Amino acid sequence: MTTDMSSLDPRIIARGREFFASISGESPSVFNKGWWTGKVMDWSMKNEDFKIQMFRFVDVLPYLNTSESLSRHIEEYFAADDSNIPDVLKWGATKTKIGGGLVAKVLNKTIRSNIESMARQFIIGQVSKEAVKGIKKLRKDGFSFVLDLLGEATVSEVESDAYRDGYLEVLEAMQKELSKWKPLEGGNNDLDWGHAPKVNVAVKPSAFYSQSKAVDLDGTAAGMMSRIEPIYKKVMEMGGFMCIDMESLKYKDATIELYKRLRTKYPDYPHLGIVFQAYLKCVDDDVRDFLAWSREANLPVSIRLVKGAYWDYETVMAKQNGWEVPVWTHKPESDMAFERVSKMILENSDICHYACASHNIRSISAVMEMASDMNVPDERYEFQVLYGMAEPVRKGLKNVAKRVRLYCPYGDLLPGMAYLVRRLLENTANESFLKMTFADEADMDRLLENPEVTLRAQLEGKTVPPEPSEGLARFQNYPIVDFTIEDERKAYPAAIAKLRGNMGKKIPLYINGQEVETSDTLDSYNPANPDEIIGSVCQAGVGEVDRAIEGASEAYLKWRDVAPEERAEVLLKAAQYLKDNMHDLCAVQILEVGKQWDQAQGDVAEAIDFLEYYARETIRLGEPRRMGHAPGEMSQLFYQGKGVAAVIAPWNFPLAISVGMVAAAIASGCPVVYKPAGISSVIGNGLTDMWKAAGLPEGVFNYCPGRGSVMGDHLVDHPDVSVIAFTGSMEIGLRIQERAAKVQPGQQQCKKVIAEMGGKNATIIDDDADLDEAVLGVLYAAFGFQGQKCSACSRVIVLDPIYDRFIERLTEAAHSVKLGPAENPANYMGPVVDKAALENVLRYVKIAESEGKILVKREVSDDLKATGGCYAPLTIVEGITKDHRIAQEEVFGPVLSVMRAKNMDDAIDIANSTQFALTGAIYTRSPANLEQARKDFRVGNLYLNKPSVGALVERHAFGGFKMSGVGSKAGGPDYLLQFMDPRLVCENTMRRGFAPIEEGDDWLS
Amino acid sequence: MTTDMSSLDPRIIARGREFFASISGESPSVFNKGWWTGKVMDWSMKNEDFKIQMFRFVDVLPYLNTSESLSRHIEEYFAADDSNIPDVLKWGATKTKIGGGLVAKVLNKTIRSNIESMARQFIIGQVSKEAVKGIKKLRKDGFSFVLDLLGEATVSEVESDAYRDGYLEVLEAMQKELSKWKPLEGGNNDLDWGHAPKVNVAVKPSAFYSQSKAVDLDGTAAGMMSRIEPIYKKVMEMGGFMCIDMESLKYKDATIELYKRLRTKYPDYPHLGIVFQAYLKCVDDDVRDFLAWSREANLPVSIRLVKGAYWDYETVMAKQNGWEVPVWTHKPESDMAFERVSKMILENSDICHYACASHNIRSISAVMEMASDMNVPDERYEFQVLYGMAEPVRKGLKNVAKRVRLYCPYGDLLPGMAYLVRRLLENTANESFLKMTFADEADMDRLLENPEVTLRAQLEGKTVPPEPSEGLARFQNYPIVDFTIEDERKAYPAAIAKLRGNMGKKIPLYINGQEVETSDTLDSYNPANPDEIIGSVCQAGVGEVDRAIEGASEAYLKWRDVAPEERAEVLLKAAQYLKDNMHDLCAVQILEVGKQWDQAQGDVAEAIDFLEYYARETIRLGEPRRMGHAPGEMSQLFYQGKGVAAVIAPWNFPLAISVGMVAAAIASGCPVVYKPAGISSVIGNGLTDMWKAAGLPEGVFNYCPGRGSVMGDHLVDHPDVSVIAFTGSMEIGLRIQERAAKVQPGQQQCKKVIAEMGGKNATIIDDDADLDEAVLGVLYAAFGFQGQKCSACSRVIVLDPIYDRFIERLTEAAHSVKLGPAENPANYMGPVVDKAALENVLRYVKIAESEGKILVKREVSDDLKATGGCYAPLTIVEGITKDHRIAQEEVFGPVLSVMRAKNMDDAIDIANSTQFALTGAIYTRSPANLEQARKDFRVGNLYLNKPSVGALVERHAFGGFKMSGVGSKAGGPDYLLQFMDPRLVCENTMRRGFAPIEEGDDWLS
């Protein structure tokens, strides 16, 4: 049974008018300017900067445990410029002793209590007792409820357990009261309105499994199930209803999968719901598929449809990751989808109960009219609104539809503040229906019009920005893999299997356009299974190196003069080759160096980025720059490649860093002799294939793996090498610099050494840090790819006041991750890169044990141990101070030192106390400390409220100073200059007193 | 007796109308499109590119001696893009066999003969016989003449002699004919019109003294006089008239002086004229002063007033040198000045005969009306026009005024072409009266209107470009000293005298804000007089170096964080100090290192430039740069100073290079320990005074002269030195690089070495080079400041076809310059910097003698030798090939090797054949060879048709590669980066899913 929307529209509008009429003159309390919240909302809507500061301040407030800390933050957030606290914040405080730079205690208390009461407006209680009491009151007012426990950000399995227990506890508490609750009107049995269970809870599934991730759909669904099932059992026991909430897109498929498993496992119990979000572009398909599944499985379902609460997050993440934006980008499109999908659900009311969750009177009216048009029985749909929001709407709804359920969060104010911020944002967003209706007092006709009409009006007159007509498009990072896409999840195992069928072969050198075999070879093995040989790689001796340099020197004479645009073209073709072979290239990394799927993809993506970026850079730098403005003179600065470059690459970003250094040289006009790390020489051979595919002229790239002890010095010392680009350890880097500085007989140029060396990177945890993010950030920065990144966090410096809380959560989080081969995407950490690396890490673990107190030392299972894989224990050690070796020496493995700091000065002092200055991170919500870190935490790449790893080309142009490197930045605007010599040509254009006047000349005006 | 101009205006216009009417329908032959010249003129006026190519081609034509060369140039100039010669050039050629890439011989001949006949239109004859014949014909037509010999570009005294002899020869020739010439009408005696000598010659005074220069007014006037006087005597003997022409502004004062000397010496002979140029802003004052002198000396004079022929040159040079433009910048201003000055002259007709030289009918009419109004007798004024130009005007003039004299150049076509180009430019300039009148057929009223009215119309609606409202004005080089200004000429001797009264003192070190005296001192002496001690300079030992580094290290902690704008402010104050003390600073250089006045001023000016440029650069680089566009993330790249910089400076640009390196470091946030060269430590001490005056905080600059053998290595090796900026010899540079690459115990950073080292710079002379410029350019590049510049030309590579001509002129030019102490501005070359330098040069002179054939070896006079000054001989050696030591090793003194090249490929191969790649130059008028040089002549700074020395900050950002340096460019946009480490701070601005969207974010459109 369907309905014709266009004919329905006048009725929807009519009903909407009625609705408005019925609540005429009322306004949600949140907009009541007589009260503090209303004032803040009002001020926030008028002043974007204040809004940002206010909401951020609300967010951090629960962490501000001392009066000093509270005062400081109030000043930092609100009085930075004029040391005047905005009046709105002083509301309710006694007028005496207020103002000036120092914030009086009374103001502190006032602000805190104001914000807490604002939060309480949206949160039904802080503990289960309060929650149950609140519910009772609501029911007395004729509203049913759905209860939601705050605090879904769990970083460890212990926290997930606790979260589950929280639900069980509140259910227990309700169970005791349940019998006293009279069914809501129309109830002729124990069910509200005669059909709805009295108890209704919502669960956010990712909270129940701290290891949830999109790539591991099966494991994630199983993990969620393991803790949600006991709750569901309890709900069933109580005859209640459970709704599985929908969170961000990355958990969507696992959430649907969870629903299906749970629903199938208990086929006879119908009161299980799920949420779909109308703002997702895929919502129509998802709901259609879901209903089809229901029908096919013959399992009635229940759907709550919402617009969606993570629009900003989804959009920002998509933009940051280079993905298509998954949500509608015009508000009316979400409204349209809401009506469209509501219609679909109502058309399936025989198998699908519908909870319409919106505050939008147009949307509500549409659902009402459609349901009435389709004669959907009352018991097949209900309305839901949020507790504490839109009181006029809930009142109007109750008048008309009776069946109104309030979504009631409860729990600690700490997670509650995050919830509060979401609600505040929702109420102050420009396109918020509530804001438009109650704050802006928009025209009712506009509010009720068909969203299609609204959309048309919005799009009208909007011009599509023109594509750049010539030249390359602006550089954009290659997208991070999106594992919400099923094809991506399938492609990795397929590529690994394909590789396994075709590996272990002998790999020749590639010199001056020819494949060259040597008798000496080196086997490269899978660190998770050393018996598995990835390839047997020919090893260059000094003879091969000489031939390679000779070929490169010859190629230089032509390549340096090839037009920058032409060189760029070759790089772009190389990038295309990598894009076309993405999964195969990832597979080699997964097996040869033990990279997790996402890490491998990140590495190949970075290689693509280097090619795309340097292609643009060589064009940019290739344009001669006019110097000065003198008439009669044309002076131009331009660059030429320095000469042959020796590229000595590491194994940890085996493709990215190799391609980066090689592409920079080649883009700059310098032919390359490339020595990959022995451990990753098979990946390195990918460069040969890549440049061949790109049509690079012979001799410009030479693949020259070899034993450092045999040919390393020879390569560095060679008089015909002009540039040495090296990434690796400090020891080797310094050796190269020293040797390269010695001029050899016949040498015609000073050698340029570009060296990226080690790090001993610190992350500072301020006492107001958002621990939900900080714990996961540190964990990832320290143990991602087994800590084998020069950017890895190897020291976490924690401020004393938050030390215990942070360490507890970190420790538990570390105990929660899965260990095992990288090819299984469930595993968080795999083997280190080879046996030598394992030995080195074990040596440092011993040092750690002797210097501090081990908090975590996690080994893989005995089964895995038996495979002979190079598994180093995940190690966290505390009690470390500046003087300890483990605080000073680079481990390059999964060993994290925890250091305690008295205060921020102390923390920054500790952070800066090594000879390295590569990366760093700080988690803080103090504006002043962010500024201090920006200034005084002196490293090449500093991340504020972000992990110190995962640098992206251009955006996070990468490289350090002190003993971390020579101060270049790979993927940055100055990088190519290092491979180039500047030349200036100045022409006297005056002849016989006559000079043509050029554009830009400093001529007569 | 004066006249009222405004009342005169209607009469002037009326007379002009009559004039026009009298020549109605006539047009100068140069615009006659029925002939080749007219076609070319027409095409040139329509097509600016063609005009430039055409005039340049005309300029080079006389050098194209072979058919091959001519063909090649025609193709290069006119067929570069479409290999189609413009039709106009084919005019007159048979239609067969023309077109296509290869230019047929017939076309060659046609073009050459067309251009030659074009030249003959303006030139009365190539040899004296022809000239005399031509004159006879003119006189027959009723015109008198003034004869001018072409070829005024003399580069040597031999050429000046020859030029003088040319005049004597033609006078001789005329003398033979003179008696046969009947006086022109009205002649009642042997004088034309009864009052004017029949013989009339014009002389360009600078041609008679190849060593003319503005700075040496007295010497220049004397030099000119020495060769003009014999001509004048001959003229007097023949009862003739001689007019001293006015050339470019730089010779103006010497020319006036010459006139006065000559006029005073022969007070009884009245027929001596001088020219003034109405386009000069100073013309009113000059003429007024001149007339006053005449009256006071009671010596009647004669003035020819012209508008002026060097407008482009004067304007371009002023702009290039940073001078106020000396000429009127609006054409009507010159016309106004012409009328104004004419009036002044006519008012003084009792003592001043007037020759009105203009083709402008308005100007002519104005003069006629004024003369008539003032009743100036006919014999007190006449009119002059150029031979071959403006035939209708001369005809009209003759009808009205009778007394019309034609200015008749004669001489070789080679210099004639230069004259031709001037005439062509004049005829095709947009504001040319002739072009407007006869080519554009402008409205007669417009042509005759009062130039004041024209000016008002031109200025109307012109808006003054707004001053930049914030920030510093765009960088501009400090002006080169203008020695046409008398005050400048006086300031140098005064400053030198002042210095002499106050020198020889003990100079302390300056460490961490304190003056430090040491017992060890080093005397710095005047190389022209080693007995004269400039200063006794304290010498730092390792202890002082340690203290300086310690102070600098401490200062670093603050200075690195001082805002770039604030650091810039200090640099600008330092620049102001140098500007305020310019002459005193020059004086030290003149005495301590033997710099000529202009060289010393250039050095101080360059120091100012470095300060001004780096101040702007540090602000530019100080602005954090957003990286990428991801919303929810604010990623910024910025820079911080690396640490303590050791600056090790050379003596040859003792202030400029010192200040450059030091200012770069300080601008970048790096405190400096500065070691000047021992030879120039007194100049180096100027930096202490400068930074004190600028208010630089203590410890940021430390003056640490010392013996390299004692403290050099210690400074380089010191673990707390982060940057070493060095300029000097390759040997020391490489030693520093090698030592600095070795990490010392306690060292916290990789040292950055910026090394500018030697050069062995070549200048190529193509077979079509403009030798007038090439000879002087090479001479200056090789022997300016005694060849003691790293940019100095030490090899001149001459193409075989032009070898003999070039070498002859170069040799004679080298024999012509004056040698002696730098403090006498007449001297071109002085002593080398010290006794050791002298010994070194003498060693190389011996090598030169053994390897090649000495062309020039000029010693100073015995008198000067006796002073003990460090005079090295000015040496030119030929027969040098690539393998000779003198072709490979840097001499750093006045020794020039001449090398012969078969062709351009060979020349470039020779040029590139050393281990250095610093500067280079080429003189060629072949567009293809300019392109080839631009591409293949691989040096840091290449100059096309300019000397290889005199690099200016920014405009000629300076530095080389190969063994000349590490590829940085001082005074260029990448220089400061070397003193800085890049830092990137990336803030995650998203909290709780909410990110403020920033400008520039890649957000939804």
Side-chain angles (χ1 to χ4, degrees), chain B residues 602-617:
Chain B
D603 191 63
V604 182
E606 190 178 351
I608 293 168
D609 285 352
F610 278 125
L611 291 161
E612 293 270 350
Y613 181 68
Y614 292 145
R616 286 159 176 83
E617 281 291 285

Side-chain angles (χ1 to χ4, degrees), chain B residues 175-459:
Chain B
Q175 199 167 24
K176 284 179 194 147
E177 300 281 318
L178 187 55
S179 58
K180 302 177 201 160
W181 297 348
K182 297 214 178 86
L184 292 178
E185 58 179 308
N188 54 5
N189 53 17
D190 206 32
L191 298 167
D192 286 337
W193 315 308
H195 63 270
K198 287 186 287 188
V199 168
N200 192 320
V201 292
V203 290
K204 293 203 163 47
S206 74
F208 294 89
Y209 183 51
S210 65
Q211 304 305 302
S212 296
K213 45 186 170 180
V215 69
D216 180 26
L217 185 136
D218 182 67
T220 298
M224 292 166 167
M225 176 101 167
S226 70
R227 289 198 184 84
I228 288 179
E229 191 175 0
I231 296 168
Y232 190 46
K233 280 186 181 160
K234 184 79 190 172
V235 166
M236 289 190 288
E237 183 193 318
M238 294 163 68
F241 186 102
M242 186 174 86
C243 182
I244 301 176
D245 277 359
M246 194 59 81
E247 304 170 88
S248 64
L249 177 60
K250 65 179 167 224
Y251 301 129
K252 188 195 69 181
D253 287 354
T255 301
I256 296 171
E257 176 65 22
L258 165 71
Y259 181 93
K260 291 178 179 169
R261 291 188 189 184
L262 211 48
R263 186 70 190 85
T264 311
K265 189 160 180 187
Y266 304 98
D268 299 330
Y269 193 81
H271 298 305
L272 182 66
I274 189 169
V275 176
F276 285 94
Q277 297 153 323
Y279 69 10
L280 285 179
K281 290 175 181 168
C282 59
V283 66
D284 300 78
D285 289 344
D286 285 346
V287 172
R288 189 175 301 111
D289 291 349
F290 183 74
L291 292 171
W293 171 84
S294 160
R295 224 169 260 290
E296 197 183 309
N298 196 25
L299 291 169
V301 294
S302 172
I303 291 178
R304 185 202 308 150
L305 187 67
V306 300
K307 299 272 167 76
Y310 307 88
W311 188 92
D312 287 88
Y313 173 83
E314 299 291 5
T315 313
V316 169
M317 291 316 292
K319 285 289 180 185
Q320 285 194 3
N321 293 336
W323 301 334
E324 202 201 330
V325 174
V327 291
W328 303 111
T329 55
H330 300 93
K331 181 68 165 62
E333 292 175 311
S334 292
D335 294 337
M336 285 159 62
F338 193 89
E339 294 187 16
R340 221 164 46 231
V341 175
S342 291
K343 179 163 170 276
M344 198 194 312
I345 296 170
L346 290 171
E347 283 164 356
N348 287 278
S349 64
D350 59 326
I351 52 151
C352 184
H353 172 261
Y354 179 39
C356 165
S358 172
H359 302 130
N360 182 321
I361 294 172
R362 157 80 202 190
S363 304
I364 291 167
S365 303
V367 169
M368 286 178 173
E369 282 308 315
M370 284 189 282
S372 136
D373 190 57
M374 289 188 258
N375 295 315
V376 177
D378 277 4
E379 67 268 24
R380 297 308 289 158
Y381 68 106
E382 65 177 39
F383 294 90
Q384 297 193 357
V385 295
L386 293 172
Y387 176 78
M389 298 256 292
E391 292 93 334
V393 178
R394 87 182 187 197
K395 184 185 150 196
L397 268 172
K398 188 161 160 280
N399 291 341
V400 180
K402 308 263 178 322
R403 303 174 308 286
V404 182
R405 190 179 302 282
L406 304 187
Y407 188 93
C408 302
Y410 93 97
D412 281 347
L413 277 190
L414 198 146
M417 286 299 163
Y419 178 78
L420 172 60
V421 169
R422 270 215 300 283
R423 292 289 82 82
L424 294 178
L425 282 169
E426 204 170 312
N427 278 300
T428 55
N430 277 332
E431 298 201 272
S432 148
F433 186 87
L434 292 177
K435 173 171 178 277
M436 287 196 289
T437 307
F438 299 105
D440 302 346
E441 291 167 13
D443 179 49
M444 188 167 61
D445 289 344
R446 158 69 195 81
L447 292 168
L448 291 174
E449 82 184 353
N450 191 321
E452 265 186 84
V453 177
T454 317
L455 179 67
R456 255 200 308 277
Q458 276 187 18
L459 294 180

Side-chain angles (χ1 to χ4, degrees), chain A residues 644-691:
Chain A
V644 174
V647 173
I648 302 172
W651 50 261
N652 65 332
F653 288 91
L655 197 72
I657 296 183
S658 292
V659 168
M661 294 193 290
V662 168
I666 290 177
S668 307
C670 303
V672 166
V673 177
Y674 164 60
K675 179 198 170 307
I679 301 171
S680 61
S681 294
V682 178
I683 297 163
N685 187 48
L687 273 75
T688 306
D689 300 333
M690 177 184 83
W691 291 119

Side-chain angles (χ1 to χ4, degrees), chain A residues 642 722 736-743 747 749-753, chain B residues 648 713 716-717 724 726 729-743 751-758 962-967:
Chain A
K642 278 177 171 286
S722 299
I736 288 173
Q737 285 184 62
E738 197 174 328
R739 295 193 74 99
K742 195 173 163 55
V743 173
Q747 187 174 322
Q749 71 297 312
C750 298
K751 288 179 189 172
K752 175 85 180 180
V753 178
Chain B
I648 302 171
D713 286 347
V716 168
D717 293 348
I724 300 158
F726 166 81
S729 73
M730 180 181 79
E731 290 69 25
I732 307 267
L734 296 182
R735 180 190 174 93
I736 288 174
Q737 285 185 62
E738 198 174 328
R739 294 194 77 99
K742 193 171 165 56
V743 173
K751 288 178 189 170
K752 175 85 180 181
V753 178
I754 301 154
E756 289 294 325
M757 306 184 291
K962 284 167 80 181
M963 285 302 174
S964 291
V966 296

